[in-house]
Amino acid sequence: GQQLNQSPQSMFIQEGEDVSMNCTSSSIFNTWLWYKQDPGEGPVLLIALYKAGELTSNGRLTAQFGITRKDSFLNISASIPSDVGIYFCAGQSPIQGAQKLVFGQGTRLTINP
Amino acid sequence: DTGVSQDPRHKITKRGQNVTFRCDPISEHNRLYWYRQTLGQGPEFLTYFQNEAQLEKSRLLSDRFSAERPKGSFSTLEIQRTEQGDSAMYLCASSLGGTAVEQFFGPGTRLTVL
C-alpha cells in the first residue's frame, strides 16, 4: 500500500536545540497531519495542514504542506524535555480514500538535558 | 474528560480465544475509526464508520475481525480465534464528519496473545 517516508528515524539532541523532521510520499496528499505519541498512549494531534504551501504554527511547532503536495516538514524550536516522544506524519490521499489516514513510520526524539 | 476512551487498556489472552474491545468517541463526532499499530510502526487503518454504517474495511481486517457501531455512538472490535500475530495496539479515533479531517485518538488497547 501507499507509504509515507519519515526522516530521520531517530534524533538525539540537547535541550534547547531546534529540531527538524520531514515526511515524503511518491504520490500527492490532500491533507497532512502531525501527531506525537508517548509510550503506551495514543497519538495526539499537533498540527493539521489543508493546502499546498500552507505554513502553520502551534506554539514552538511549525509545519508546512509542501508545494508539490508530496511532502511536509515539522520544526520544533527550543526543545524541552517534554518534547521527547515519537512524531508521526499522516496524510489523506485522494487515491486511498478521503477518510483513512496513512501514517509514516515515525521519528523518535530523545533529548539530553 | 470528553476525549476518546477505550476499554480495556490492556488485554492478555491465549491463542484461540476471542476478545472484544470497546471505543467511546467524542460525543458529537459521527465518524469513528479503528487502527492497528505494531511495535516500531505507525498506525495502520482497519475500518471506519459514518454513524452506524461501516463504510470502508482494510484488507488487514480478516474474517476473524468484526467491528460494529450499532447506535452510531460507541463501537466494538471483536477478534475471534486470536493468533500471536494479532498482538498489537488497537487504536480508536473519531472525527466530526463533513469536511473535518482531524482525527482524535484514544489511548489504545494493548493486546498480547500468548
Side-chain angles (χ1 to χ4, degrees):
Chain A
Q2 193 170 27
Q3 291 185 338
L4 296 180
N5 298 309
Q6 279 189 253
S7 65
Q9 290 189 343
S10 59
M11 302 182 74
F12 299 85
I13 63 168
Q14 298 294 122
E15 184 177 349
E17 287 185 11
D18 296 344
V19 171
S20 184
M21 60 189 78
N22 65 60
C23 192
T24 60
S25 170
S26 58
S27 55
I28 64 172
F29 278 78
N30 290 335
T31 308
W32 289 91
L33 301 99
W34 285 91
Y35 288 86
K36 177 177 181 278
Q37 187 174 28
D38 293 328
E41 299 294 330
V44 174
L45 181 63
L46 301 174
I47 290 181
L49 301 159
Y50 305 98
K51 58 183 180 181
E54 180 181 356
L55 184 71
T56 297
S57 293
N58 178 8
R60 293 178 298 106
L61 276 60
T62 302
Q64 185 157 28
F65 191 145
I67 254 322
T68 65
R69 296 173 62 190
K70 293 183 180 180
D71 62 340
S72 177
F73 72 74
L74 175 70
N75 287 344
I76 305 172
S77 63
S79 57
I80 60 177
S82 61
D83 292 333
V84 166
I86 303 178
Y87 291 81
F88 289 100
C89 62
Q92 289 182 320
S93 163
I95 300 173
Q96 293 271 333
Q99 296 310 317
K100 71 173 67 171
L101 290 178
V102 177
F103 281 81
Q105 71 273 44
T107 293
R108 181 181 295 275
L109 179 63
T110 303
I111 297 176
N112 299 316
Chain B
D1 187 273
T2 57
V4 178
S5 62
Q6 293 187 245
D7 184 70
R9 294 292 308 275
H10 304 274
K11 178 70 176 178
I12 300 174
T13 191
K14 293 183 179 179
R15 191 175 49 190
Q17 298 293 306
N18 299 343
V19 295
T20 301
F21 310 141
R22 176 180 170 123
C23 171
D24 287 87
I26 295 171
S27 60
E28 66 268 25
H29 286 187
N30 58 36
R31 289 194 185 131
L32 185 149
Y33 311 79
W34 286 98
Y35 291 82
R36 182 173 71 184
Q37 185 178 27
T38 53
L39 209 58
Q41 301 296 318
E44 294 176 290
F45 172 82
L46 292 178
T47 188
Y48 97 93
F49 292 83
Q50 170 88 27
N51 299 312
E52 66 274 9
Q54 188 173 17
L55 296 186
E56 188 173 353
K57 293 195 288 187
S58 161
R59 286 174 295 176
L60 292 174
L61 214 65
S62 76
D63 56 5
R64 296 185 297 105
F65 288 70
S66 62
E68 294 183 342
R69 194 183 183 198
K71 297 182 180 179
S73 56
F74 73 92
S75 174
T76 58
L77 178 68
E78 181 183 17
I79 309 174
Q80 296 183 325
R81 306 181 302 282
T82 52
E83 302 172 356
Q84 288 186 326
D86 297 331
S87 296
M89 174 80 94
Y90 290 84
L91 293 162
C92 175
S94 70
S95 71
L96 197 54
T99 57
V101 300
E102 298 88 347
Q103 295 183 18
F104 298 89
F105 283 81
T109 295
R110 168 74 64 189
L111 172 66
T112 302
V113 181
L114 302 176

